Amino acid sequence: MIRIAVLLSGRGSNFAAIHQAIAEKKLDAEIVAVISNRADAPGIARAKDWGYRTFIFDNRRYASREAHEADVLRALDDTKPDFIVLAGYMRLLSPAFVAKYRGRILNIHPSLLPAFPGVDAQAQAIIARAKKSGCTVHFVDEGLDSGPIILQREVDVQPNDDAESLSARILEQEHIAYVEALKKLAKT
Ligand code: GRF
């Protein structure tokens, strides 16, 4: 049984997929904390409904990145996760944070990395007329979407796709990929 802390800033559909896999006993894990920098993140509302321990640290109320991260790190010290799962967390982690949890922080990105790192990866794929795209679950290092890859799932880009339709097709695969990646880690 692995202990997971989820960090999110928005919708939380990847968090919901992980929650569901655990509830259906497809993933042997426990979500010990859901941490957000946004009090109004829909993902936080879901976490409360499902009875998880939630923490809100609004970064706009802190004087520095370090001060904000100190509170996040305290919540992690308190809840002792094995893995930290970034699920639409719109904050970069400092090198000190990454160093403390090296090999234990996961992110999901909506492209086949190393292609299209950074923001708007799905739109980048459309503009580049990529034939295939997909998603990548990877460990977080100090770079932008650059850490060791755990797994990827592909989707075809259709000729009539726009960023929105491609995002929706990739998102279905994200939900499968994150659970698969965590299953892999739960076994090792
Ligand atoms: C996903 O597209 C993920 O790849 C990216 O942010 C989005 C989060 O979606 N990092 P959700 O909040 O999990 O629904």
Side-chain angles (χ1 to χ4, degrees):
M1 161 97 73
I2 53 169
R3 297 168 65 81
I4 296 171
V6 177
L7 272 62
L8 56 80
S9 303
R11 170 176 69 179
S13 72
N14 279 287
F15 157 54
I18 295 164
H19 160 82
Q20 198 184 335
I22 295 170
E24 291 172 356
K25 304 210 180 303
K26 291 177 182 157
L27 173 63
D28 190 18
E30 183 186 354
I31 296 174
V32 296
V34 181
I35 302 175
S36 183
N37 62 319
R38 290 278 177 270
D40 59 357
I44 280 293
R46 300 195 206 210
K48 286 182 179 157
D49 280 351
W50 294 330
Y52 289 119
R53 208 165 155 198
T54 59
F55 299 84
I56 313 290
F57 304 115
D58 186 335
N59 56 285
R60 294 167 300 191
R61 293 173 185 233
Y62 291 81
S64 67
R65 179 179 303 276
E66 289 66 34
H68 177 251
E69 278 191 352
D71 275 355
V72 176
L73 286 165
R74 251 192 300 277
L76 294 171
D77 280 346
D78 210 35
T79 52
K80 302 192 171 33
D82 300 306
F83 294 100
I84 297 166
V85 169
L86 307 185
Y89 187 60
M90 304 310 286
R91 302 281 304 157
L92 290 174
L93 303 180
S94 72
F97 191 123
V98 171
K100 179 162 183 192
Y101 285 99
R102 191 174 305 283
R104 294 167 60 196
I105 310 172
L106 281 71
N107 184 41
I108 190 156
H109 183 78
S111 75
L112 298 174
L113 291 170
F116 314 128
V119 292
D120 296 332
Q122 303 94 331
Q124 291 186 52
I126 297 286
I127 290 163
R129 299 182 188 280
K131 293 266 183 307
K132 283 186 185 301
S133 191
C135 62
T136 305
V137 183
H138 65 96
F139 288 114
V140 172
D141 67 8
E142 286 80 358
L144 177 66
D145 301 323
S146 63
I149 291 173
I150 301 168
L151 63 86
Q152 298 184 306
R153 290 182 70 89
E154 277 187 16
V155 306
D156 289 329
V157 182
Q158 307 294 350
N160 57 351
D161 263 332
D162 57 16
E164 199 181 328
S165 61
L166 179 60
S167 298
R169 195 168 325 110
I170 292 174
L171 191 63
E172 286 175 18
Q173 298 306 314
E174 290 186 34
H175 298 160
I176 299 167
Y178 232 155
V179 171
E180 275 186 3
L182 288 164
K183 268 191 199 166
K184 229 170 147 173
L185 295 174
K187 281 190 200 137
T188 54

